[in-house]
Amino acid sequence: MKQLAFACLKISLILLILLSSVNAFAQMEIRGTVSDAIESKPLQGVTVLEKNTRNTVLTDARGRFNIKVAGRKPILVFSSVGYTTSERAVNNITTVNISLEPEAKQLGDVVVIGYGSVKKRDLTGAVSSLNVTETDKTGLSSVEDLMRGRIAGLQIAGDNAPGSASSIRIRGGTSIYASNEPLYVVDGFPILNSSGSGDRSDAPNSQSPISDIDPNNIESVEVLKDASATAIYGSRGANGVIIITTKKGSSNKTNFTVKASTGISKIVNNYPVMNSYGMAKYMRSQNFSYPYDMPPVDTSTFTSRSFYLNDYKNIPSTNWIDQIMRTGNYKEFYVGLNGGTKQTRYAGSVGYNSNKGIINYTGNNRLTGNFSLDSKVNDFLEFGISTNLAYNSLDGVVTSNTPDVVTSEGALVNALAFYPFLSPNTSETIYQQSGLFMLTNPIANIKDIDKNIFYVRATMNAYVKLNILPNLNFRSMVSGRYDGRKYKSFAPSTTALGLPFGGTGEIENVVSLDRLIENTLNYSLVHGDHHIDAVVGMTAQKSH
């Protein structure tokens, strides 16, 4: 009996030790970091997987990870888009630091850096490259939307009104008073952000200089972030450079692309606003005088100077944001062709985009057309031409306000500040001075003020390339850009904008013309693992 009890105790101890060992393996914790093998920078979002299990974690912004493994001889698998997958055995190791190699295809990609291009493996400056696929372009109406959230260090902000320009910063602002906008280079043509834009604070929504580009027609986008931008483009590139390359023909059979898409837009989280009683109570606490700063419940009693807070308890509240909002929608149509032979390549497209905003009476329509032709006559001579045509129209009032617009015609600012105890069905347009702003009935503000802005833009490039020697070529390019804008505005006397003038109207036409001539002599020599590239050139650009 004692032997049986001793045997049972022995077996129990063995099982306890085994269970403790299993538990020890289950609690094994491994920490580490994942970095880029070329640039040595930490990689965020790398998947760390315990092989043959579903146990996974992702690296954080500093490339760090923390994973608990259960296997006796665990193997971790590290994978990320654009990098080769790597495995690491972690027997009795609690810290793993690993570097992932970029895929060979990624290193072989050609990056445009100004007056030339290099393979990504040979790149030394701070350049981000965005190669665009057809899927990326679906439902996007502008180049800014295409870049948003996809390029490190690129900050894009704006009011998101249909067709409106966005404020773009590369690695933050660099000046307090001067412009912080980058330089755009589209197919070799430099475009300053102020070039022919005709920006004005009282326009419906000013457009960016690249608003004439259909995202469906973009091949790639490169962003130059460091001093190399200034070295190539001078002071114009002090805020960085965004290089956009549009689609060109290919030495394949002709391919047709037809795309149509539609969708809706709607505000998800609306602004919380005060009700009638809450607003009246707040205004009473701030010693607003009555009736000059505080309109009465019944506008016919304007002569009374009494202010009874309880009068506002049972008054229906008007949410003016809801009154000016709607469900927006967009429609997009695109037709393109691409093809050619070994000697001649061609590409063309036509696109139409219509976007109705979530604020009533706001919208944007854009029609674009593009064509390019590249031909290699012989081993000595090459030439090409490209054109880009665009028509844009914007409708509606200003959706937001800048500090110098004291009439508060901005739809959102006006609706947020207007009184909730006034009915949206009132036939009167009521004005009240609120700080620096003159307020208008929000419905009348967007309905009665008529603002339209029309853009017509045309860009043409032509080049000739002479292959003087196998390693030496001369390239000459001539380009021109026409930028026309027509602005029409009318505000009746029933609005704050038109009240001081008994109604006001305006028609304005602005036309600018940019001309560019560029001559470069390029030398390139590859000898084994060594590369020598040299460029000598002259560029002259004039605008008026």
Side-chain angles (χ1 to χ4, degrees):
M1 191 68 179
K2 291 183 178 180
Q3 292 179 349
L4 181 60
F6 179 76
C8 290
L9 179 61
K10 186 177 181 179
I11 293 172
S12 299
L13 289 173
I14 293 173
L15 289 175
L16 181 61
I17 293 172
L18 290 175
L19 289 174
S20 299
S21 300
V22 172
N23 185 60
F25 282 116
Q27 297 300 319
M28 185 175 179
E29 186 175 31
I30 300 173
R31 302 171 181 267
T33 59
V34 183
S35 61
D36 185 296
I38 304 298
E39 300 180 4
S40 299
K41 65 180 182 180
L43 295 178
Q44 181 180 8
V46 176
T47 301
V48 183
L49 167 70
E50 182 182 359
K51 194 171 184 179
N52 299 324
T53 71
R54 295 184 179 181
N55 183 22
T56 62
V57 295
L58 297 176
T59 58
D60 61 16
R62 297 183 179 179
R64 300 175 302 187
F65 70 92
N66 187 335
I67 185 171
K68 294 181 179 180
V69 296
R72 179 179 289 273
K73 295 181 178 181
I75 297 176
L76 297 183
V77 181
F78 301 85
S79 60
S80 181
V81 176
Y83 292 87
T84 56
T85 301
S86 180
E87 296 185 3
R88 178 70 61 88
V90 290
N91 298 335
N92 300 321
I93 299 176
T94 58
T95 302
V96 176
N97 297 319
I98 188 170
S99 298
L100 296 185
E101 295 283 347
E103 291 181 352
K105 178 182 180 302
Q106 298 286 333
L107 291 175
D109 286 347
V110 175
V111 178
V112 179
I113 56 170
Y115 294 103
S117 59
V118 297
K119 289 186 176 181
K120 187 174 287 187
R121 72 173 78 240
D122 301 324
L123 193 61
T124 57
V127 180
S128 292
S129 181
L130 175 63
N131 291 315
V132 186
T133 65
E134 293 301 321
T135 306
D136 294 334
K137 305 168 188 174
T138 303
L140 301 178
S141 60
S142 67
V143 181
E144 290 94 333
D145 291 340
L146 188 65
M147 297 187 294
R148 197 185 306 272
R150 303 187 184 194
I151 298 178
L154 192 69
Q155 302 169 345
I156 302 178
D159 60 11
N160 294 320
S164 65
S166 297
S167 175
I168 297 180
R169 300 288 183 269
I170 298 176
R171 290 183 170 178
T174 58
S175 174
I176 298 176
Y177 299 106
S179 172
N180 288 292
E181 297 296 323
L183 173 70
Y184 300 98
V185 179
V186 181
D187 290 334
F189 191 92
I191 305 172
L192 289 172
N193 194 35
S194 59
S195 177
S197 63
D199 288 349
R200 48 186 296 160
S201 60
D202 59 339
N205 294 292
S206 298
Q207 288 197 323
S208 76
I210 54 174
S211 61
D212 55 319
I213 303 176
D214 189 334
N216 294 291
N217 199 44
I218 292 179
E219 185 71 28
S220 65
V221 178
E222 275 80 32
V223 179
L224 278 60
K225 307 176 185 177
D226 58 4
S228 62
T230 306
I232 297 173
Y233 293 102
S235 60
R236 296 180 300 174
N239 297 319
V241 180
I242 298 177
I243 302 175
I244 300 172
T245 304
T246 59
K247 286 183 178 179
K248 299 295 186 290
S250 59
S251 302
N252 298 313
K253 64 180 182 180
T254 301
N255 296 314
F256 284 93
T257 301
V258 179
K259 178 191 284 188
S261 62
T262 185
I264 62 172
S265 55
K266 190 173 184 179
I267 189 169
V268 178
N269 296 317
N270 208 338
Y271 294 98
V273 294
M274 293 182 179
N275 59 17
S276 298
Y277 180 73
M279 174 63 84
K281 186 176 181 180
Y282 167 76
M283 297 181 76
R284 179 65 176 269
S285 68
Q286 298 301 311
N287 297 318
F288 276 72
S289 62
Y290 176 91
Y292 302 109
D293 290 329
M294 182 76 180
V297 177
D298 182 2
T299 56
S300 64
T301 63
F302 240 40
T303 56
S304 173
R305 291 183 176 274
S306 59
F307 179 9
Y308 299 105
L309 185 60
N310 290 335
D311 290 347
Y312 295 86
K313 278 190 173 181
N314 300 317
I315 299 176
S317 300
T318 300
N319 187 323
W320 291 103
I321 294 292
D322 290 341
Q323 294 295 321
I324 66 171
M325 290 288 186
R326 67 181 176 185
T327 299
N329 65 78
Y330 77 90
K331 300 181 184 67
E332 179 189 36
F333 304 95
Y334 175 82
V335 178
L337 62 89
N338 183 296
T341 64
K342 291 183 178 180
Q343 288 74 34
T344 303
R345 304 180 304 278
Y346 55 86
S349 67
V350 176
Y352 173 74
N353 183 282
S354 175
N355 195 343
K356 291 185 177 180
I358 59 175
I359 296 179
N360 288 320
Y361 306 103
T362 61
N364 173 53
N365 291 280
R366 182 186 65 207
L367 180 64
T368 59
N370 303 276
F371 177 75
S372 68
L373 176 68
D374 297 276
S375 180
K376 184 177 182 180
V377 179
N378 49 46
D379 292 338
F380 177 72
L381 176 62
E382 301 177 30
F383 72 91
I385 60 172
S386 64
T387 60
N388 181 19
L389 307 174
Y391 170 81
N392 276 276
S393 67
L394 285 84
D395 304 313
V397 298
V398 179
T399 55
S400 60
N401 268 91
T402 54
D404 59 329
V405 183
V406 297
T407 56
S408 186
E409 59 172 311
L412 289 176
V413 173
N414 199 78
L416 285 171
F418 208 65
Y419 308 114
F421 36 72
L422 298 177
S423 170
N425 299 319
T426 178
S427 59
E428 297 183 50
T429 304
I430 301 175
Y431 315 92
Q432 290 296 322
Q433 191 72 30
S434 177
L436 295 177
F437 294 100
M438 180 74 75
L439 301 180
T440 306
N441 182 309
I443 297 177
N445 184 54
I446 63 175
K447 182 179 180 180
D448 296 346
I449 297 178
D450 185 20
K451 286 179 178 284
N452 307 97
I453 187 167
F454 306 92
Y455 291 88
V456 176
R457 285 171 176 161
T459 305
M460 176 173 286
N461 300 324
Y463 75 89
V464 174
K465 182 179 179 182
L466 304 178
N467 298 308
I468 303 171
L469 296 172
N471 300 323
L472 181 67
N473 67 74
F474 173 77
R475 189 176 189 274
S476 180
M477 182 179 74
V478 178
S479 303
R481 177 180 170 90
Y482 171 88
D483 197 333
R485 180 189 67 103
K486 184 175 184 179
Y487 170 69
K488 298 193 302 181
S489 170
F490 175 74
S493 58
T494 55
T495 63
L497 183 63
L499 176 64
F501 313 99
T504 180
E506 182 180 0
I507 297 178
E508 181 182 83
N509 290 283
V510 178
V511 174
S512 69
L513 181 63
D514 284 0
R515 291 164 291 178
L516 172 75
I517 182 169
E518 181 178 285
N519 299 306
T520 56
L521 192 63
N522 304 273
Y523 179 78
S524 179
L525 177 64
V526 178
H527 182 73
D529 294 334
H530 303 283
H531 302 256
I532 299 176
D533 293 287
V535 178
V536 176
M538 179 276 296
T539 297
Q541 186 172 2
K542 185 178 181 180
S543 62
H544 69 272

